[in-house]
């Protein structure tokens, strides 16, 4: 039995030890995302590895320790009582990671637009009732002008682009608000 850290050099030492001891298979719990970096290095080194869902292997009752867990998993693997979790190919894992990250960015962008909309509503500026997307060219141009200190609805409405130019009168009404300095600071951020 040996303990290893989680830094790359430590994991590489683990891989050397696994190879030196002629280990046939590595099994580990799929705890959070901690298993991923270890799994990737084991996979790179062509070491057969199974990832076990912690819910599927009930540990030994009593005090839980990493060593007891490791011994328990090893014992279950020796007796063929462990079912490996499905781990997609590296290409699929990378694609999942990218698409999930993209989704998080999109969701964060929507939250930020909603925060901007809330600040505008608090200043009684109803721009979203006239233009469909406050993050579009017209919306951003008007927001930048408001942040720089322009509060004149007439000059702000003249910043409209594209089809929003057909709604100048409505924009002027929607831009008659009362923006305060703290709201300007919030919009700037």
């Amino acid at each position: 039995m040996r303990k290893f850290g989680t830094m790359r050099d430590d994991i590489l030492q683990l891989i050397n030890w696994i190879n030196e001891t002629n280990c046939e298979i590595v099994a580990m719990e799929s705890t959070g995302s901690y298993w991923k970096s270890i799994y990737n290095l084991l996979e790179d080194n062509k070491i057969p590895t199974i990832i076990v869902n912690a819910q599927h292997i009930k540990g030994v009752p009593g005090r839980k320790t990493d060593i007891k867990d490791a011994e328990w998993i090893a014992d279950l693997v020796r007796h063929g009582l462990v079912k490996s979790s499905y781990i997609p190919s590296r290409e699929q894992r990378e694609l999942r990671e990218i698409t999930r990250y993209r989704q998080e960015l999109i969701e964060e962008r929507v939250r930020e637009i909603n925060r901007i909309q809330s600040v505008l509503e608090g200043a009684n500026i109803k721009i979203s009732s006239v233009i469909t997307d406050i993050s579009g060219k017209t919306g951003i141009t008007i927001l930048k002008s408001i942040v720089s200190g322009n509060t004149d609805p007439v000059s702000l409405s003249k910043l409209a682009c594209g089809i929003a130019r057909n709604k100048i009168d409505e924009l002027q009404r929607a831009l008659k608000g009362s923006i305060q300095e703290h709201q300007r600071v919030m919009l700037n951020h």
Side-chain angles (χ1 to χ4, degrees), residues 83-158:
K83 182 182 174 203
S84 179
S85 297
Y86 169 71
I87 306 296
S89 69
R90 179 168 292 209
E91 185 179 86
Q92 288 176 313
R93 293 192 314 267
E94 290 171 356
L95 183 59
R96 277 184 181 179
E97 193 173 340
I98 289 169
T99 55
R100 285 177 180 159
Y101 181 67
R102 180 181 181 273
Q103 183 64 36
E104 289 171 9
L105 289 176
I106 290 168
E107 290 168 2
E108 187 58 38
R109 181 177 184 270
V110 168
R111 282 191 290 274
E112 193 61 39
I113 290 169
N114 288 339
R115 284 191 282 272
I116 291 169
Q117 185 58 45
S118 179
V119 171
L120 292 173
E121 286 291 327
N124 203 28
I125 295 175
K126 307 290 185 182
I127 190 172
S128 65
S129 59
V130 179
I131 61 173
T132 55
D133 183 10
I134 65 167
S135 66
K137 189 172 182 180
T138 295
I140 294 297
T141 305
I142 291 172
L143 286 172
K144 285 181 179 179
S145 189
I146 290 171
V147 166
S148 69
N150 184 2
T151 58
D152 178 40
V154 174
S155 67
L156 288 171
S157 64
K158 290 180 181 175

Side-chain angles (χ1 to χ4, degrees), residues 3-115:
K3 272 185 163 182
F4 295 91
T6 57
M7 299 291 184
R8 183 178 172 82
D9 289 343
D10 301 325
I11 298 168
L12 292 174
Q13 286 178 4
L14 166 67
I15 289 169
N16 288 336
W17 182 70
I18 289 169
N19 287 328
E20 289 167 7
T21 58
N22 296 317
C23 179
E24 293 176 26
I25 192 164
V26 172
M28 61 183 168
E29 286 183 332
S30 60
T31 308
S33 61
Y34 300 111
W35 63 272
K36 292 179 182 178
S37 60
I38 299 168
Y39 183 86
N40 289 337
L41 286 171
L42 291 168
E43 181 182 51
D44 288 345
N45 286 275
K46 312 257 187 288
I47 296 174
T49 307
I50 60 173
I51 304 299
V52 181
N53 184 329
Q55 298 297 322
H56 297 161
I57 53 168
K58 299 295 181 195
V60 179
R63 275 179 50 104
K64 180 176 167 54
T65 68
D66 289 341
I67 292 171
K68 283 183 182 178
D69 277 354
E71 289 172 341
W72 178 245
I73 292 170
D75 199 34
L76 291 174
V77 169
R78 265 189 233 104
H79 292 92
L81 298 173
V82 173
K83 182 182 174 203
S84 179
S85 297
Y86 169 71
I87 306 296
S89 69
R90 179 168 292 209
E91 185 179 86
Q92 288 176 313
R93 293 192 314 267
E94 290 171 356
L95 183 59
R96 277 184 181 179
E97 193 173 340
I98 289 169
T99 55
R100 285 177 180 159
Y101 181 67
R102 180 181 181 273
Q103 183 64 36
E104 289 171 9
L105 289 176
I106 290 168
E107 290 168 2
E108 187 58 38
R109 181 177 184 270
V110 168
R111 282 191 290 274
E112 193 61 39
I113 290 169
N114 288 339
R115 284 191 282 272

